[in-house]
Amino acid sequence: MTELLNGKGLSLVPKNDAKQGLKDFKSDQEVRWCPGCGDYAILAAVQSFLPELGLRRENIVFVSGIGCSSRFPYYLNTYGFHSIHGRAPAIATGLAASRPDLSVWVITGDGDALSIGGNHLIHALRRNVNLNILLFNNRIYGLTKGQYSPTSEIGKITKSTPMGSLDKPFNPISLAIGAEATFVARTLDSDRKHLQSVLREATAHRGTSLVEIYQNCNIFNDNAFEPLKDPEVRDDITLRLEHGQPIVSATKAVVRDADGSLSVVPRAEAGEDRILVHDAHNPDPSVAFALSRLDEPAFEHVPVGIFRQVDRPAYDVLMADQLEEAVAQKGPGDLGDLLMGGDTWRIG
C-alpha cells in the first residue's frame, strides 16, 4: 500500500486522513443498467478499490462520454462529469493539465472512444497526459440498441448491418501501443482480482494509462468473451502477461521465431529456453505491439495483463514547467493588457 500511495501518478493528490470504505464511494443514485450487465461488476470493483488509494474524494474526478458505461460518474461519490460523445479525453486533459492535485479518470466504451472519440483518444495517449482511461469493450453499441461498433468482428449481424459488418475492427491495444501510450493493459469485467491489480498499477503510473476491459453486454452481444470466462477452456487460451515472467497459458507458450516474429506453440513443444519472457518496461513498443496481435484469430489465444509500462515525461508536467519558464522570462503578465494589446481598434 505504501508503494501505491507513493506512486508517481498520485504524488500531488491530497490524502484523506480518515479511513475510507466501500460505502464512502457509493452515491445515492439508483444504478440503472440492464440486469446482468458487466458494468455492475466493474463498478463494484472500482468502488471497492478506490478506498485503497486513501485520497480525498473531492480530489477524484470521473469524466465520461456517451454510452452505457458513461453513467459511471453518477454512481460514485466523487466529482464527475458526464460529457459529450467521444470528448471525455479532451475534457479530462484540461482538468489534468490545470489541476495536478486531481486523480482524473476517463470512463468510455468501444463506440464512444474509437468512433467519434478516436481522435481525442489517440492524442491523449501520445501526449501522455496524467489520466487513467478505462475503455469498456463489449464489441457493440448498447445504449442505442445493438448496432455494430468499431470493435465488432467482420460479419457481425446487427440492426445496422443486417447482412454482416464489412469493417475490419479496431484492436484497442494495438491502437494504443501504436500511439506510443506509456501504460496499456487488458483485463476482464468478471475477474475482480485481476482487474483491481491492473488498476493499482495504472493509478501509480505517471502519464496516460489505458485499460481495456472486456465487458459483457448480455442484451445485444451476450457471451462475446465467454471462452475467456469458461473454466473448461480459459486457462488454455489466456496468455498471462506479467513483467519478468514467461508468457504462457496452461497449454501454450509464446516464442520468438527465427525471423524475429512471435508465435504461439504448444507449451510442451516450446522448450523453456525458447519461451518469451515478458518485458513490459521495454522502451521499444514493437514487441508489445506484436503481443497485441496474437489474439487473431479471436480467442484461440488471448494475451491478458499489462502489455506496456514505461516512463516518459507527462504532458501536464511539461506544460507546467513551460509556463513557469515563461513567467520567469517575461513576468506574470496582465490579461487586460493582452486583450487590448497588439492589433485592436474601437468601433463607433
Side-chain angles (χ1 to χ4, degrees):
M1 184 58 59
T2 302
E3 181 180 349
L4 179 62
L5 292 178
N6 290 335
K8 291 177 288 185
L10 301 174
S11 59
L12 300 177
V13 185
K15 305 300 185 290
N16 194 65
D17 294 332
K19 185 177 179 181
Q20 298 168 323
L22 171 64
K23 292 183 178 179
D24 293 307
F25 286 91
K26 284 187 175 181
S27 76
D28 60 357
Q29 300 297 299
E30 177 188 0
V31 181
R32 300 180 64 186
W33 286 311
C34 300
C37 175
D39 288 354
Y40 285 98
I42 301 172
L43 176 64
V46 171
Q47 286 174 328
S48 59
F49 160 73
L50 288 174
E52 292 185 20
L53 301 179
L55 304 178
R56 293 168 53 185
R57 287 176 297 170
E58 57 266 38
N59 289 84
I60 302 174
V61 184
F62 282 80
V63 184
S64 64
I66 296 296
C68 296
S69 64
S70 295
R71 296 180 183 271
F72 223 78
Y74 295 106
Y75 307 141
L76 290 163
N77 193 18
T78 64
Y79 277 107
F81 198 130
H82 191 171
S83 70
I84 53 181
H85 206 187
R87 272 65 178 185
I91 292 169
T93 293
L95 274 174
S98 60
R99 290 286 303 274
D101 61 324
L102 298 179
S103 175
V104 183
W105 298 71
V106 170
I107 304 295
T108 186
D110 48 301
D112 184 59
L114 298 172
S115 57
I116 192 170
N119 185 54
H120 298 288
L121 177 69
I122 289 170
H123 291 298
L125 295 171
R126 75 173 180 86
R127 285 177 177 138
N128 200 36
V129 186
N130 194 33
L131 304 172
N132 302 302
I133 302 175
L134 305 187
L135 194 163
F136 297 17
N137 184 5
N138 54 25
R139 295 183 172 177
I140 203 76
Y141 275 104
L143 188 66
T144 50
K145 306 298 184 284
Q147 298 83 7
Y148 83 112
S149 85
T151 56
S152 297
E153 64 273 22
I154 294 175
K156 183 73 173 179
I157 296 176
T158 72
K159 294 176 180 178
S160 57
T161 53
M163 297 182 67
S165 167
L166 301 175
D167 293 353
K168 180 172 175 58
F170 270 129
N171 180 322
I173 300 296
S174 299
L175 181 74
I177 295 171
E180 296 202 40
T182 54
F183 185 102
V184 184
R186 175 187 288 148
T187 185
L188 302 173
D189 57 2
S190 57
D191 190 344
R192 179 182 290 201
K193 182 178 179 181
H194 188 264
L195 170 57
Q196 291 185 332
S197 70
V198 170
L199 292 180
R200 290 186 187 98
E201 294 293 331
T203 309
H205 179 73
R206 184 74 183 181
T208 305
S209 65
L210 181 126
V211 179
E212 178 191 26
I213 305 174
Y214 280 161
Q215 176 258 326
N216 190 51
C217 175
N218 59 314
I219 302 299
F220 297 109
N221 201 23
D222 197 20
N223 295 325
F225 308 107
E226 188 58 25
L228 292 172
K229 303 180 180 186
D230 184 349
E232 303 229 344
V233 299
R234 66 187 179 195
D235 291 338
D236 292 329
I237 65 176
T238 303
L239 297 167
R240 296 288 178 183
L241 300 180
E242 299 178 16
H243 178 69
Q245 298 298 316
I247 305 176
V248 297
S249 71
T251 59
K252 301 175 182 179
V254 177
V255 298
R256 190 186 295 277
D257 298 323
D259 62 0
S261 62
L262 304 183
S263 60
V264 180
V265 300
R267 189 170 177 177
E269 301 173 11
E272 294 300 318
D273 58 334
R274 288 186 63 210
I275 297 176
L276 183 68
V277 174
H278 186 42
D279 182 7
H281 303 161
N282 187 348
D284 180 358
S286 61
V287 177
F289 186 85
L291 286 171
S292 75
R293 311 305 295 173
L294 291 179
D295 59 350
E296 297 182 4
F299 299 127
E300 288 190 11
H301 31 258
V302 181
V304 172
I306 299 174
F307 288 75
R308 192 165 195 247
Q309 186 178 17
V310 298
D311 285 330
R312 181 157 58 85
Y315 179 85
D316 44 304
V317 174
L318 295 173
M319 189 188 79
D321 290 344
Q322 191 176 72
L323 289 172
E324 188 175 317
E325 181 181 351
V327 170
Q329 291 179 4
K330 300 184 178 182
D334 182 274
L335 182 59
D337 290 342
L338 177 65
L339 293 176
M340 299 304 295
D343 295 329
T344 61
W345 62 93
R346 294 181 181 274
I347 299 176

